[in-house]
Amino acid sequence: YQPNQAMNNSYDMTFVENINVLKGPQGTIFGRNVVAGAVLVTTRNPDLQELGADAQVTLSHFGGGTSASAFYHKEALFLTAPIVEDRLAISIAGSMSHNSGYTKNVYPGNPGPLGRSEHRSLQAKLLWEPSDNVSFLLNYRNYYITVVAGATIRDEVSTALRYPDAFVGVLPWQSSSPFNDGNQSLKVEALSLRAEVETGLGTLTSTSAWQKVDNPQNGHSPVSDLCSGARACLTLNYNFAMPKNL
């Protein structure tokens, strides 16, 4: 369960088994936060019968014109193995990626690209079915992503554009920052246990979960002495940490 849309970045979609989009309201089943509907993402479970593996490698390049040249690569691996045939199995899924960034920094003296990102993801599952109508699924997930980002201007709208001394990127792939190390990061660690019992009247499901979120951010807004003097632009550094969700 994720409390807001920003947390959707913590899911690696590489080894997803299925996605269900449910029309709202869904509050009776999933709680008060899903009045408009719910999106259920199910990742692959361990196989109780067969040993299996799946791997993916992605390589790409983007660039040209006034944007920066950027390379992207991603590697992913999924392993599943039965421990006790038809009763107990384990699976491990992991991935990592790197994007060198195609957003061009137009601030003088800082030609390095922005938009660089790295991500690492690890998920482990333990499936136990002591009988044909009872199952327990233990799920551990660890996700980390960091992005060296800078604000871009959409539709050429920015207060700083009124001031001739401001350095502001006006194209979608341009940004302005006196620093190339400002970043936003997201680290998620989660553990859940799902128990299901099939009866003649239906399936009883119990879910217990714990989640820890760290979301520190730091950066800089476009610099303009005139804009700052008129108290029209924020030019101070910001460095803060989002509250942790438990």
Side-chain angles (χ1 to χ4, degrees):
Y1 169 76
Q2 301 301 336
N4 55 62
Q5 293 183 0
M7 293 299 301
N8 292 340
N9 291 330
S10 67
Y11 277 103
D12 182 7
M13 305 297 286
T14 305
F15 297 112
V16 170
E17 185 172 294
N18 62 69
I19 299 177
N20 295 324
V21 180
L22 308 181
K23 182 180 179 181
Q26 294 287 334
T28 302
I29 301 177
F30 299 105
R32 63 182 181 178
N33 286 354
V34 290
V35 175
V39 178
L40 307 183
V41 179
T42 303
T43 53
R44 291 170 60 176
N45 286 335
D47 194 318
L48 291 169
Q49 297 180 338
E50 296 182 356
L51 178 68
D54 190 6
Q56 297 182 15
V57 177
T58 301
L59 297 173
S60 63
H61 172 262
F62 179 87
T66 57
S67 69
S69 178
F71 288 92
Y72 171 82
H73 65 84
K74 180 178 180 179
E75 300 80 33
L77 178 66
F78 175 83
L79 299 172
T80 178
I83 301 175
V84 179
E85 189 174 358
D86 294 331
R87 294 304 179 196
L88 185 65
I90 188 173
S91 68
I92 298 177
S95 66
M96 59 187 303
S97 69
H98 174 79
N99 185 349
S100 59
Y102 65 86
T103 303
K104 187 174 183 179
N105 191 353
V106 299
Y107 191 84
N110 288 272
L114 296 172
R116 302 188 303 275
S117 66
E118 292 185 1
H119 112 275
R120 299 188 299 270
S121 176
L122 176 67
Q123 185 176 39
K125 290 186 177 184
L126 182 67
L127 177 61
W128 179 37
E129 294 187 358
S131 64
D132 293 339
N133 61 337
V134 178
S135 67
F136 298 91
L137 180 63
L138 183 64
N139 185 3
Y140 172 78
R141 184 166 60 92
N142 189 300
Y143 185 90
Y144 175 78
I145 184 172
T146 179
V147 179
V148 180
T152 57
I153 305 302
R154 297 183 179 179
D155 300 325
E156 298 185 0
V157 176
S158 172
T159 305
L161 286 174
R162 302 185 219 168
Y163 299 88
D165 66 328
F167 298 102
V168 180
V170 296
L171 297 176
W173 51 86
Q174 292 181 344
S175 183
S176 176
S177 174
F179 306 104
N180 280 330
D181 57 354
N183 65 75
Q184 303 176 13
S185 63
L186 175 66
K187 183 178 181 180
V188 178
E189 190 174 16
L191 183 68
S192 66
L193 176 63
R194 182 183 180 93
E196 291 187 350
V197 178
E198 296 182 5
T199 69
L201 301 177
T203 301
L204 301 178
T205 302
S206 172
T207 302
S208 301
W210 168 87
Q211 180 172 260
K212 179 182 178 181
V213 178
D214 288 314
N215 188 206
Q217 303 182 34
N218 66 79
H220 201 285
S221 61
V223 172
S224 164
D225 293 335
L226 293 176
C227 187
S228 178
R231 298 181 181 272
C233 292
L234 179 64
T235 60
L236 298 177
N237 291 338
Y238 62 88
N239 192 322
F240 62 94
M242 300 291 289
K244 297 179 180 179
N245 298 323
L246 300 178

